[in-house]
Amino acid sequence: MAPQDNAVSGGGNEVPSPGIFERAGKGLADVVERWMPSPFLFAIILSYIVFVAGIVFEGSGPVEMTTYWFDGFWLFLAFAMQMTLILMTGFVLAYHPRINGLLKRLTELPNDGKQAIVLVGVFSMAVAWIHWGFSLILGAIFAREMGKTAYRNGISAHYPLLCVAGYMGLGLTWHWGLSASAPLMLNTPGNEFIEAGVVDGVIPASETIFSSYAILLTLTSIVVAAIFLYLLAPTAGRTRPITEFVDEENLFEDGSGSEAVPDGGSETFDTPAEKIDNSRILGGLIALTGVAMVVYLLVNDGLDAWNLNLVNFAFLFAGLLVFMRPAYYREKFGEAAKAAAGIILLFPFFAGIQGMMNASGLSSTIAEGLFAISTPETFPIIAWVAGGIVNMFVPSGGGEWIVLGPSVIEAADGHGVPIGQATIAYAVGDAHTNLLNPFWALPLLAITGIKAREMFGYAIAMLILLTPFLALALVLIPY
């Protein structure tokens, strides 16, 4: 295996001067790497900021804010479980040996580091439209495998930006796709908004996820983001390879959990219990039953049946259908739990932040203040900004939608803006600011071996570069 040559760019030629985008990205990355705290400390700092803001701006007392914080910890346990299942079902499917092998073959396609980064980014954003948990894990694995292949083949690929590319699905396209929290919540019968009288009935997915507005936004966003990733990518000679972040001795050991699925024909199970646990017949039967139920619902109710419960149900049984053996499927879920550990730890803290923001009135104050200055023409931008601001403190698309949703919908009604368009505009802000808040990057950090501060300078650079484009797209794309 030949180490990368980071001093020259091919044939002994001098390394060309960096462009303006590369210089800006490098400068921002250096600052963030020096100053950014860990994700857990990030959540603690945000908790104190909201605590003080509630006292100063809403007049709540310290004891009240502490009570709001405690109560908030337990408000969304059911939703937290749904989000964890989305992540874990995505993890299990992503680490199937055939899928993992396909990713390794894809890493051989790029001819240089810039192409490698763009390929990982486009892949991550496209898959996120299908399933955000699948994208988060697949994007992380793809970034790591691309870094390994580039190092092995002597290609200069900047690993921090490769990791950002693997995270772009969560940072851009996920909340307009098939596993999008806010649209799916509105399309779930008996949801919080119906019970509260905010809407009269479900808002079908045809008005949100499958609207031409959302689809055009997704396609153009992927193209524009790919261009910015290309422009940010350092030229050969200024890259930092994967070996600067992952111990080279362990880098090419297969510790990813992607070992081949044991061949049922080559193993023997001595006891009836072992035979039942590993029965492909039983596993396949229940898997096909679940898949058939998904097909039945989609055939009878159309794409509007695609809500949060059906997403989890579909991917849960799709995973069992792929792995077949119940015991082996359970083992893979055990591995998935490790990837979800950071989110499980931090979710209650961010739920506590949401509890303070909601109960003290901070969320409503932010939303009402922004919507008060909106017009029918600027409303999508205001909804985007509101979603982005609150997502910084409550990085849960569905959790913050529960808080912001009523204000967004009521303001949209007042301006004559379709609820579907308003929901997608909010979703853009929620996804976009994931490039600033490292909460959802925790599984990616664990898989890639990189630290948040080592990659988030480039994530923030992408956030800044995409801001003008998104502002224009939200207004100019017809609904």
Side-chain angles (χ1 to χ4, degrees):
M1 145 190 345
Q4 276 182 258
D5 180 2
N6 286 329
V8 295
S9 74
N13 297 327
E14 293 185 3
V15 178
S17 299
I20 184 172
F21 290 96
E22 182 182 337
R23 289 199 306 271
K26 174 65 165 57
L28 190 54
D30 290 343
V31 172
V32 171
E33 186 168 353
R34 180 175 176 84
W35 289 100
M36 186 175 185
S38 69
F40 190 33
L41 187 58
F42 191 85
I44 293 173
I45 292 171
L46 289 180
S47 298
Y48 281 111
I49 291 174
V50 173
F51 180 83
V52 173
I55 295 172
V56 173
F57 297 109
E58 300 297 334
S60 299
V63 174
E64 285 181 297
M65 290 300 291
T66 304
T67 302
Y68 299 154
W69 178 67
F70 172 79
D71 292 341
F73 261 62
W74 321 115
L75 285 177
F76 303 118
L77 289 179
F79 180 72
M81 183 61 180
Q82 287 175 313
M83 293 297 99
T84 302
L85 268 177
I86 282 183
L87 175 63
M88 293 176 69
T89 55
F91 181 101
V92 171
L93 281 168
Y95 263 131
H96 189 276
R98 293 185 184 89
I99 296 175
N100 196 250
L102 174 61
L103 291 182
K104 290 180 179 180
R105 289 193 292 273
L106 288 175
T107 62
E108 300 289 347
L109 295 178
N111 296 317
D112 59 40
K114 287 179 176 286
Q115 292 180 13
I117 288 166
V118 170
L119 179 59
V120 172
V122 170
F123 176 87
S124 171
M125 290 183 282
V127 174
W129 190 88
I130 299 171
H131 187 295
W132 71 260
F134 204 27
S135 171
L136 179 56
I137 303 304
L138 267 182
I141 298 171
F142 198 21
R144 180 183 173 95
E145 293 299 332
M146 187 67 80
K148 289 164 61 176
T149 299
Y151 178 77
R152 184 189 297 115
N153 295 343
I155 293 175
S156 296
H158 194 56
Y159 193 59
L161 192 53
L162 268 178
C163 294
V164 171
Y167 184 59
M168 282 305 301
L170 268 288
L172 196 59
T173 56
W174 83 270
H175 212 159
W176 325 329
L178 301 182
S179 61
S181 300
L184 291 178
M185 190 178 296
L186 288 177
N187 193 34
T188 300
N191 64 69
E192 290 88 344
F193 298 92
I194 296 174
E195 292 181 355
V198 177
V199 294
D200 296 329
V202 297
I203 306 300
S206 57
E207 296 181 15
T208 53
I209 296 168
F210 300 110
S211 67
S212 59
Y213 184 73
I215 291 172
L216 282 173
L217 189 61
T218 301
L219 294 175
T220 54
S221 295
I222 290 174
V223 172
V224 172
I227 293 171
F228 286 140
L229 285 171
Y230 186 89
L231 293 173
L232 282 174
T235 306
R238 288 186 291 270
T239 59
R240 299 177 67 187
I242 189 173
T243 49
E244 288 194 27
F245 305 91
V246 183
D247 185 356
E248 187 175 355
E249 293 182 0
N250 302 321
L251 186 59
F252 293 94
E253 293 179 5
D254 188 8
S256 64
S258 58
E259 67 276 1
V261 179
D263 181 358
S266 63
E267 288 189 72
T268 57
F269 304 106
D270 298 327
T271 67
E274 289 178 338
K275 293 178 180 178
I276 293 172
D277 286 345
N278 290 276
S279 171
R280 295 177 185 272
I281 295 175
L282 291 177
L285 182 62
I286 187 64
L288 287 173
T289 303
V291 171
M293 186 63 191
V294 173
V295 173
Y296 171 80
L297 291 172
L298 291 175
V299 168
N300 280 271
D301 300 332
L303 291 174
D304 292 338
W306 195 254
N307 57 41
L308 196 55
N309 290 333
L310 189 58
V311 168
N312 273 326
F313 190 85
F315 278 90
L316 186 66
F317 284 95
L320 183 56
L321 185 63
V322 168
F323 283 93
M324 294 295 284
R325 287 169 42 185
Y328 192 64
Y329 192 44
R330 186 207 60 77
E331 290 175 10
K332 304 309 288 186
F333 257 81
E335 295 175 15
K338 297 177 182 178
I343 289 176
I344 293 171
L345 170 64
L346 288 188
F347 212 110
F349 281 89
F350 279 105
I353 293 172
Q354 178 167 305
M356 290 190 288
M357 293 188 69
N358 190 17
S360 69
L362 269 175
S363 296
S364 297
T365 298
I366 293 171
E368 291 169 4
L370 287 169
F371 292 133
I373 62 173
S374 67
T375 66
E377 293 74 25
T378 63
F379 183 84
I381 294 178
I382 297 300
W384 163 53
V385 172
I389 291 174
V390 176
N391 185 58
M392 276 303 303
F393 298 94
V394 188
S396 165
E400 69 182 79
W401 180 241
I402 293 173
V403 176
L404 276 187
S407 297
V408 173
I409 292 171
E410 290 170 9
D413 283 338
H415 286 308
V417 175
I419 293 176
Q421 183 182 16
T423 303
I424 293 299
Y426 149 81
V428 173
D430 168 73
H432 185 211
T433 45
N434 281 341
L435 293 171
L436 187 57
N437 190 326
F439 177 73
W440 289 112
L442 289 168
L444 179 140
L445 300 177
I447 291 169
T448 59
I450 203 168
K451 296 181 176 65
R453 60 184 175 83
E454 293 170 337
M455 64 170 273
F456 261 81
Y458 285 102
I460 295 170
M462 286 296 294
L463 179 142
I464 295 170
L465 289 171
L466 286 166
T467 295
F469 157 73
L470 291 174
L472 289 173
L474 288 170
V475 173
L476 297 180
I477 293 177
Y479 181 76

